Amino acid sequence: MELVKKKKKVKLGETRLGVVSFVCALLTLAYLNIFLLTSGGPDPFSNLFLQVVPTVGVLTGLISLIKVNHRRTFTWWALGLYGFMFVCILVIGFVEFATYTKP
């Protein structure tokens, strides 16, 4: 009988920047839903949650893509959420423009 040495699988962890990007995407998505449901005027948090947090999230997501020997699951989920939000805003804008063509 031969003794077969089993190689240990190296567990790759998530990048911290990917997790930060995912959390920023979730915060932005939650605020976007609240903003669209209430359709109130410009809130003091709208500048933060609709401009600053997504910018930080996309930048940290792109930076975490260049990390070596790490998984990128949260990064891809975050970038997918940002893409989804972008497409939703475009569709809402086109539907609004088609519905209310006169200023």
Side-chain angles (χ1 to χ4, degrees):
M1 289 177 74
E2 292 181 29
L3 294 175
V4 178
K5 292 183 180 179
K6 293 183 180 179
K7 291 183 181 179
K8 290 185 178 180
K9 290 184 180 179
V10 178
K11 290 188 177 181
L12 300 177
E14 287 289 336
T15 60
R16 289 187 180 117
L17 293 175
V19 174
V20 168
S21 177
F22 184 68
V23 169
C24 288
L26 288 178
L27 287 173
T28 304
L29 182 63
Y31 185 78
L32 181 65
N33 284 332
I34 292 169
F35 182 75
L36 291 175
L37 286 173
T38 58
S39 55
D43 296 328
F45 292 114
S46 65
N47 187 26
L48 176 71
F49 281 106
L50 294 179
Q51 292 177 358
V52 176
V53 174
T55 304
V56 170
V58 169
L59 288 177
T60 56
L62 292 176
I63 292 171
S64 71
L65 285 177
I66 61 173
K67 291 279 190 173
V68 181
N69 295 331
H70 286 87
R71 291 188 323 188
R72 296 171 181 90
T73 307
F74 282 110
T75 305
W76 288 115
W77 274 101
L79 294 177
L81 281 174
Y82 286 124
F84 172 75
M85 286 184 271
F86 180 72
V87 168
C88 285
I89 290 172
L90 284 179
V91 168
I92 289 170
F94 285 136
V95 168
E96 184 177 347
F97 180 73
T99 305
Y100 306 110
T101 55
K102 294 181 182 179

